[in-house]
Amino acid sequence: MTQLTEIKAFSKPLIAKLAKLGISNLQALLLHLPLRYIDETHITTIRDLRAGEPAQVEGEIVYAEVSYKPRKALIAKLEDASGQLTLRYLHFYPSQVAALKVGNKLRVYGEVRSGFFGYEMVHPTSRAVGQKTGVAETLTPVYPTVAGLTQPSLRNAIGIALAQNCMGETLPANTYQGMHLPGFAESLRALHHPPPDTDLRALENKKSNYWRRLAFDELLAQQLSMRKHYVRRRSVSAPRFARSKLLVSALLKSLPFALTQAQQKVALEIEYDLTQPHPMQRLLQGDVGSGKTIVACMAALQSIENNWQVALMAPTEILAEQHYRKMLGWLTPLGIQITWLTGSQSKKEREAALANIASGSAQFVVGTHALFQEAVKFKNLGLAIIDEQHRFGVHQRLALRQKGQPEPHQLMMSATPIPRTLSMSYYADLDVSVIDELPPGRTPIVTKLVSDARRNEILQRVREACLQGNQAYWVCPLIEESEALQLATANDTFVLMQDEFPELKIGLVHGRMKPAEKQAVMSAFSAGEMQLLVATTVIEVGVDVPNASLMVIEHAERMGLSQLHQLRGRVGRGAAKSTCILLYQNKLSETARARLKVIYESNDGFAIAQADLHIRGPGELLGVRQSGVPMLKIADLERDADLLQAAKGAADYLLKHYLVEVEHHLDRWMSSAGELVKV
Ligand code: ADP
Ligand code: MG
């Protein structure tokens, strides 16, 4: 890969500024694409100008004055054979005053507006013209830049890069021609210097085939990298687990419910994976309450019946504890040894747990992050289950995987549904199973959007619900900037609620409490000893208290949609009709309003995640995972969904027949984008 430092024409200061844009080599510079274009390829006569459209006009200055009323401004009139145009500058330098002297011949470029005295341009660019100043031959690109790097020097640098001849085709023609996409070099040239007859709108909307070619290449690079990762996994060996003959059916018989169709389908997919000699890496996704835990438990039994240990890791202590209790209930009757491991155990408990894990007498280990710490040694870990996987980083997941020898199978679960385009791109290294159906008999949650001004009514409502024997959550606002402030708010709210409802038993739970305190509060709430639980978003994941049927969320506008959906999923778990009230502050921005509308109108996690993707982009949904995954710079998963599909097919084809080309392609794209990291 040619580094910029190898090119003589590039000065040190220029290279330093390009580095600020994340550009250090030629490919990256070539792929630094324009934001928009200006058309200086022809001159419009003043009579033909149209308001709202940019234009280039040439003429003579016939009037110029610096006026001071109502505020300081430089005003000039430019005249051509067809009429006059007002030029207006609110900020200007002495050099501009000199350039706009009466009698000077100028060419100006700017957006035309309808002003008080006819057409005008505010802050147009201008330059002097002589007898033979030609017009530009191609549209002029405008690039994203940083302070100190002007458009002309960036244009010049990219011009030099284009002349270096390093835009060779990495792909066989049939991979892109089928979609009528042009060549790579042709696309780059056209995007940097579009010919005058180009459809500017298509170019700026990124719907032109030139853009699409580069988007395709980028998506293809992502697919190739993910597929390679996937293929590598097939070459690693893992323990094979025969299908369970006893334990799974014994468990299913003991349950008070039957599995849904969707649960049966994904359970079969997982069961099959576990019979294979390569490590499973499967993401099990299903909306809040769709019943992922029981499916994971079936996988665990298959492992245990084959004499391999299982670890189940959850992101919070509350959730880990809840899983532990559930597993005790389900599996103790089957004679299975379950051990519990968290950071908050006493030294003695912890040592006992570690010993059980190391000796293999613990068949099933449930815990938090504590599970992947150095000191934890498994006798034979066969399956690692990770609940709410989006809460963990890639590294944490990898660390748990390294606890097994050979590599254990991995089952990741997520209640944040992943839109199709995301699972095809960022999650392409995983297999995905989807539970797309809720167990029968759930009453849908009614969601209400209520202004904070009506808080008193809501308090009244909470009182009534609790006095009627229901339980309620009061969720305190998320304060991202400061954990201390968040804590203070939670404490204040708790005090306020106690004043407001002297007749109710009220609990408080937040992230900073000691785990034992947290557990005590959760168990009391779960057992019905408290009617109202004031909480921070720590209750977002997994918490399951069926009798809780009312939730109030303060400052709902501050939270992500998927997060709100998760929180809301804490109610509606029993047979009672449930309500979730989203309190918002009076002044809502347009976006905030649009977002709350989505959550108000939809109870479907997939639709909500799709909207989140649309409004906030993939970063929001990818969460911590983002840190280890290549982010797309050119392609957009929504706009280019068809290309994503095509790239997926092309990746398979190339990996079969064109391995050298694959390496070249990855080389170009992996080194060109700063954030593009190999996974
Ligand atoms: P999630 O997918 O959000 O993790 P859980 O696994 O916690 O959901 O399941 C939610 C609740 O539904 C639990 O109380 C669980 O026992 C129950 N459940 C799971 N599957 C079924 C089913 N097929 N029929 C009825 N209830 C079920
Ligand atoms: Mg769950």
Side-chain angles (χ1 to χ4, degrees):
M1 198 54 49
T2 314
Q3 297 301 310
L4 296 182
T5 43
E6 296 169 47
I7 298 175
K8 294 218 171 61
F10 289 169
S11 69
K12 272 212 174 113
L14 174 68
I15 290 174
K17 280 176 201 136
L18 288 171
K20 282 196 192 152
L21 287 168
I23 299 172
S24 65
N25 61 41
L26 264 189
Q27 293 295 344
L29 184 55
L30 286 169
L31 291 168
H32 190 64
L33 299 178
L35 284 174
R36 58 190 175 85
Y37 301 87
I38 49 188
D39 186 356
E40 296 174 322
T41 60
H42 59 271
I43 289 168
T44 309
T45 49
I46 291 173
R47 193 198 312 134
D48 296 331
L49 290 177
R50 287 216 298 243
E53 287 182 10
Q56 179 169 243
V57 176
E58 190 173 306
E60 188 177 321
I61 298 290
V62 293
Y63 167 90
E65 190 184 77
V66 175
S67 73
Y68 292 90
K69 276 183 194 163
R71 52 184 283 205
K72 193 177 166 196
L74 167 61
I75 293 167
K77 282 188 194 299
L78 185 79
E79 185 179 275
D80 72 2
S82 72
Q84 285 189 356
L85 171 70
T86 305
L87 311 178
R88 190 185 296 276
Y89 294 83
L90 302 174
H91 319 279
F92 50 90
Y93 297 106
S95 60
Q96 282 171 303
V97 180
L100 268 71
K101 274 226 181 71
V102 171
N104 282 1
K105 288 206 166 59
L106 288 188
R107 191 177 287 172
V108 298
Y109 183 94
E111 190 173 305
V112 180
R113 304 204 318 192
S114 225
F116 192 67
F117 301 106
Y119 284 146
E120 64 173 29
M121 285 182 186
V122 179
H123 289 178
T125 58
S126 74
R127 60 187 160 131
V129 282
Q131 293 273 308
K132 282 194 216 142
T133 310
V135 291
E137 280 172 15
T138 61
L139 298 173
T140 312
V142 179
Y143 294 100
T145 189
V146 289
L149 184 57
T150 63
Q151 289 294 335
S153 36
L154 197 47
R155 279 177 204 141
N156 187 39
I158 289 172
I160 293 172
L162 283 168
Q164 297 291 314
N165 240 343
C166 58
M167 300 186 287
E169 197 55 69
T170 46
L171 304 180
N174 58 355
T175 33
Y176 56 91
Q177 277 176 350
M179 290 174 300
H180 308 290
L181 296 178
F184 180 74
E186 182 190 349
S187 301
L188 272 184
R189 283 206 188 88
L191 288 172
H192 286 296
H193 298 142
D197 57 353
T198 308
D199 177 356
L200 256 190
R201 199 154 296 164
L203 211 55
E204 291 182 342
N205 288 341
K206 308 184 176 170
K207 286 189 178 138
S208 99
N209 273 335
Y210 301 124
W211 264 104
R212 283 170 53 80
R213 169 62 208 265
L214 297 187
F216 173 74
D217 278 27
E218 184 181 33
L219 289 166
L220 180 58
Q222 190 194 40
Q223 288 294 318
L224 287 171
S225 146
M226 296 291 205
R227 296 299 297 175
K228 278 182 71 174
H229 191 245
Y230 187 90
V231 169
R232 206 174 300 136
R233 175 149 56 88
R234 304 268 128 178
S235 66
V236 173
S237 57
R240 304 177 74 147
F241 303 153
R243 292 195 160 81
S244 157
K245 294 203 181 65
L246 303 166
L247 294 175
V248 171
S249 58
L251 170 70
L252 293 179
K253 260 191 223 128
S254 74
L255 294 176
F257 53 77
L259 295 184
T260 61
Q261 292 270 326
Q263 284 171 316
Q264 289 174 27
K265 185 190 69 175
V266 302
L268 281 177
E269 287 166 355
I270 296 166
E271 181 187 56
Y272 173 79
D273 277 3
L274 296 178
T275 63
Q276 296 302 299
H278 310 296
M280 167 174 84
Q281 271 181 43
R282 191 171 277 278
L283 177 66
L284 172 58
Q285 54 171 94
D287 211 342
V288 189
S290 61
K292 296 182 288 294
T293 319
I294 184 70
V295 173
C297 190
M298 291 163 69
L301 289 179
Q302 188 176 350
S303 177
I304 291 168
E305 194 166 320
N306 283 274
N307 292 317
W308 288 82
Q309 288 174 294
V310 177
L312 166 58
M313 179 163 81
T316 66
E317 195 122 356
I318 293 176
L319 186 54
E321 153 113 11
Q322 196 176 282
H323 278 320
Y324 176 58
R325 294 194 182 288
K326 188 154 245 175
M327 294 307 151
L328 281 179
W330 281 345
L331 303 184
T332 317
L334 303 178
I336 289 163
Q337 294 300 317
I338 309 171
T339 290
W340 158 246
L341 191 78
T342 67
S344 67
Q345 283 167 311
S346 72
K347 198 165 174 232
K348 217 170 130 202
E349 286 171 323
R350 185 179 158 75
E351 271 164 12
L354 288 177
N356 286 341
I357 296 169
S359 73
S361 72
Q363 295 165 289
F364 198 150
V365 187
V366 181
T368 57
H369 308 73
L371 280 180
F372 57 75
Q373 279 152 9
E374 193 60 41
V376 186
K377 303 257 187 294
F378 287 83
K379 176 165 179 256
N380 61 348
L381 180 63
L383 170 66
I385 304 170
I386 295 157
D387 198 14
E388 309 290 348
Q389 68 89 30
H390 60 287
R391 291 303 201 86
F392 293 99
V394 189
H395 305 296
Q396 294 171 317
R397 273 186 12 221
L398 290 179
L400 190 56
R401 204 156 86 199
Q402 277 147 15
K403 293 280 178 197
Q405 195 52 256
E407 193 171 317
H409 297 281
Q410 222 177 19
L411 178 64
M412 290 150 272
M413 304 198 279
S414 178
T416 299
I418 296 150
R420 214 173 91 81
T421 51
L422 267 193
S423 63
M424 275 173 68
S425 56
Y426 291 96
Y427 288 89
D429 57 331
L430 305 179
D431 294 302
V432 180
S433 291
V434 182
I435 305 185
D436 52 6
E437 157 186 31
L438 290 181
R442 303 263 164 93
T443 35
I445 306 165
V446 177
T447 301
K448 302 208 155 135
L449 280 179
V450 179
S451 156
D452 197 53
R454 290 170 51 200
R455 204 182 171 83
N456 281 337
E457 283 170 49
I458 302 305
L459 288 170
Q460 190 51 34
R461 176 135 189 196
V462 169
R463 171 177 290 119
E464 280 163 19
C466 291
L467 291 178
Q468 281 165 14
N470 296 309
Q471 287 173 283
Y473 295 101
W474 189 284
V475 183
C476 301
L478 178 71
I479 301 170
E480 272 176 352
E481 313 82 63
S482 155
E483 205 192 348
L485 208 55
Q486 172 141 352
L487 192 58
T489 314
N491 282 322
D492 291 351
T493 311
F494 181 53
V495 172
L496 281 175
M497 293 293 155
Q498 283 174 318
D499 285 353
E500 181 72 34
F501 305 122
E503 68 275 45
L504 299 182
K505 287 227 179 64
I506 305 176
L508 170 67
V509 61
H510 58 69
R512 271 310 178 84
M513 277 161 84
K514 290 218 180 72
E517 295 169 356
K518 241 189 278 182
Q519 277 161 34
V521 176
M522 287 312 297
S523 321
F525 187 63
S526 195
E529 291 158 21
M530 292 167 183
Q531 288 99 49
L532 178 62
L533 184 64
V534 175
T536 58
T537 50
V538 290
I539 58 155
E540 175 189 340
V541 287
V543 171
D544 189 22
V545 179
N547 191 45
S549 61
L550 175 62
M551 172 175 280
V552 181
I553 304 177
E554 280 198 81
H555 268 296
E557 74 278 6
R558 289 191 189 162
M559 295 184 196
L561 287 185
S562 295
Q563 191 176 25
L564 282 172
H565 183 60
Q566 294 284 313
L567 277 169
R568 178 171 63 181
R570 298 310 112 219
V571 293
R573 307 200 134 231
K577 189 167 161 248
S578 294
T579 308
C580 176
I581 297 172
L582 307 177
L583 281 181
Y584 63 88
Q585 294 295 299
N586 269 329
K587 278 191 203 137
L588 275 187
S589 71
E590 278 297 309
T591 337
R593 190 179 300 277
R595 293 178 47 228
L596 286 183
K597 194 158 166 269
V598 172
I599 203 90
Y600 170 68
E601 285 174 350
S602 177
N603 246 323
D604 171 354
F606 280 89
I608 290 166
Q610 188 71 51
D612 233 0
L613 180 65
H614 180 72
I615 298 170
R616 303 228 257 185
E620 165 81 5
L621 287 172
L622 290 170
V624 260
R625 196 185 145 86
Q626 191 178 343
S627 52
V629 173
M631 292 303 282
L632 296 165
K633 290 176 91 178
I634 296 176
D636 176 288
L637 293 179
E638 267 188 273
R639 184 189 63 220
D640 303 320
D642 64 323
L643 294 178
L644 174 60
Q645 186 70 47
K648 201 168 145 67
D652 285 338
Y653 169 73
L654 291 175
L655 283 168
K656 270 201 199 100
H657 306 289
Y658 291 93
L659 288 177
V660 178
E661 285 80 357
V662 165
E663 287 314 311
H664 284 157
H665 193 72
L666 282 173
D667 231 30
R668 164 173 288 157
W669 284 91
M670 292 297 161
S671 60
S672 65
E675 313 99 286
L676 222 53
V677 187
K678 281 189 189 171
V679 283

